[in-house]
Amino acid sequence: KKKLIHDFINSEVSIQGYKITKEEELKEGFDFYFVRKCDAFNLMKKLKETFNGETKNSRTLHGKDRNGKLSYRSTFLFRAKD
């Protein structure tokens, strides 16, 4: 199932033209680093519809820009149901 989900993500990335900066394989699954948050969000919706899994979204404070606006880094989790 892990391989099937990985292949689905790679096909969606190539079809939709999502930009990924880095991809890591871990023992628990895969980490994909997207340039745009909306691309990751759209992919998560498709994964949930296709594989009937659980999704989670969290944000962590990353820093501030020059104007003092807070900058957050988003993390998306998809867990497939067995």
Side-chain angles (χ1 to χ4, degrees):
K1 188 137 189 168
K2 187 172 154 182
K3 173 92 168 109
L4 185 67
I5 293 172
H6 185 263
D7 291 342
F8 177 80
I9 291 172
N10 282 332
S11 68
E12 284 295 316
V13 165
S14 63
I15 291 170
Q16 300 295 332
Y18 298 149
K19 296 198 181 340
I20 295 179
T21 56
K22 186 165 71 168
E23 177 182 342
E24 294 178 348
E25 184 172 1
L26 308 170
K27 66 178 182 176
E28 305 87 28
F30 298 95
D31 282 351
F32 292 91
Y33 296 84
F34 285 85
V35 173
R36 295 178 39 183
K37 181 171 68 171
C38 64
D39 293 345
F41 186 76
N42 290 336
L43 183 62
M44 293 300 289
K45 285 196 317 188
K46 288 182 183 180
L47 280 169
K48 187 173 182 176
E49 292 170 1
T50 306
F51 294 102
N52 191 25
E54 172 190 3
T55 59
K56 290 185 181 179
N57 180 13
S58 63
R59 296 182 337 159
T60 54
L61 184 61
H62 179 19
K64 289 184 179 180
D65 65 4
R66 283 188 247 176
N67 300 323
K69 184 178 175 185
L70 298 177
S71 174
Y72 291 91
R73 184 169 282 161
S74 294
T75 303
F76 296 91
L77 166 75
F78 174 76
R79 184 175 294 134
K81 295 181 181 175
D82 291 332

